[in-house]
Amino acid sequence: MEDHVAIRCTDPKVSKYSMDDWHVSVTEHHILKSRGIEREVPVANSWRQARIGAEEQVDHPKPYDWTFTTSYTGTLTGTWSVQPHKEGLDLSLLQRRDPILFYAETMLFEDELGDNGVAMLSVRFRAMATGFFLLQRFFLRVDGGLVRVYDTRLQWRKSDDYLIRDVRQMESSSWQPSMVGVCLMEADRVCDKLIQHRCEKLFPTA
């Protein structure tokens, strides 16, 4: 039996790991279905005022998400059954210091938003004798706007015949001066608005 969990992006760079009947493939590919923010960066108005009378059209923004926000939670290949999972991730197992047999970390993309903040999407994966754990994190900081963190976690325990997928999307409800320079590792403490949270079991089916 070969079951695959794939994270995809452009110009594929593939990392693979196998454990028993599970085969995990982390593949860089195009990230679709992004969602931006409605707020402007602080310099937008002064930039617009400086171009009053210019021939170029500045009233209508270009139709793309300049924050690169993505709600992508992974691609399941093959046939899977998805069911709600009230128990959530096995945190006690994740907190154990089991020897790590394999570890990989990949930055899928990063952009400084024209010196107005940062947007990045990264994936971390580790495998132990007891199972594996994957974290995909999208981090966004728009200076003068907001901070946003979208996390997707996948966990498999060796005794299970399913994956646990936990999706949590959060952002700051307002901008505070103390958020200037907030980095990826500090983002959780300033994101006080829950946008979405769901946990589910993923069963591979024949």
Side-chain angles (χ1 to χ4, degrees):
M1 177 178 68
E2 290 192 358
D3 304 303
H4 302 270
V5 178
I7 304 290
R8 302 178 179 268
C9 188
T10 312
D11 296 327
K13 175 183 177 183
V14 182
S15 300
K16 295 183 178 180
Y17 183 77
S18 298
M19 177 180 288
D20 296 335
D21 293 331
W22 293 91
H23 302 271
V24 178
S25 175
V26 181
T27 307
E28 299 180 8
H29 192 56
H30 185 53
I31 303 299
L32 301 175
K33 298 182 180 179
S34 59
R35 183 179 70 180
I37 62 173
E38 298 178 356
R39 310 174 204 181
E40 293 182 332
V41 294
V43 299
N45 187 56
S46 58
W47 180 89
R48 188 181 297 105
Q49 292 297 320
R51 283 160 177 76
I52 292 178
E55 294 182 0
E56 60 182 316
Q57 177 59 259
V58 297
D59 292 332
H60 302 288
K62 295 180 180 179
Y64 62 82
D65 175 12
W66 57 272
T67 71
F68 305 104
T69 296
T70 176
S71 56
Y72 181 73
T73 60
T75 299
L76 297 174
T77 62
T79 305
W80 294 74
S81 172
V82 180
Q83 301 177 10
H85 183 51
K86 296 181 179 180
E87 290 78 8
L89 297 168
D90 187 343
L91 297 180
S92 61
L93 181 61
L94 294 177
Q95 293 168 356
R96 282 170 36 177
R97 295 184 175 275
D98 295 331
I100 296 176
L101 305 178
F102 176 83
Y103 177 82
E105 181 174 356
T106 300
M107 183 67 69
L108 299 180
F109 66 75
E110 182 175 6
D111 189 88
E112 294 182 352
L113 307 178
D115 292 329
N116 288 297
V118 64
M120 62 176 66
L121 182 68
S122 61
V123 173
R124 295 181 181 180
F125 175 82
R126 71 176 188 261
M128 296 73 64
T130 53
F132 65 72
F133 178 72
L134 180 146
L135 168 63
Q136 175 191 270
R137 168 164 285 193
F138 172 76
F139 167 63
L140 171 71
R141 188 191 75 242
V142 178
D143 293 333
L146 55 71
V147 174
R148 176 178 288 164
V149 174
Y150 286 4
D151 286 342
T152 298
R153 293 174 169 85
L154 293 176
Q155 183 182 32
W156 174 68
R157 297 169 295 192
K158 193 169 184 179
S159 58
D160 292 341
D161 60 351
Y162 59 87
L163 287 169
I164 301 173
R165 176 164 62 184
D166 184 271
V167 177
R168 184 182 296 269
Q169 300 177 355
M170 300 188 68
E171 67 182 27
S172 59
S173 56
S174 62
W175 177 261
Q176 303 296 329
S178 60
M179 295 179 184
V180 174
V182 164
C183 65
L184 175 64
M185 302 304 294
E186 303 171 321
D188 287 339
R189 66 177 176 82
V190 300
C191 291
D192 57 349
K193 179 181 177 182
L194 180 64
I195 299 172
Q196 178 187 175
H197 180 223
R198 73 177 190 271
C199 191
E200 51 204 11
K201 290 182 178 180
L202 309 178
F203 290 90
T205 57

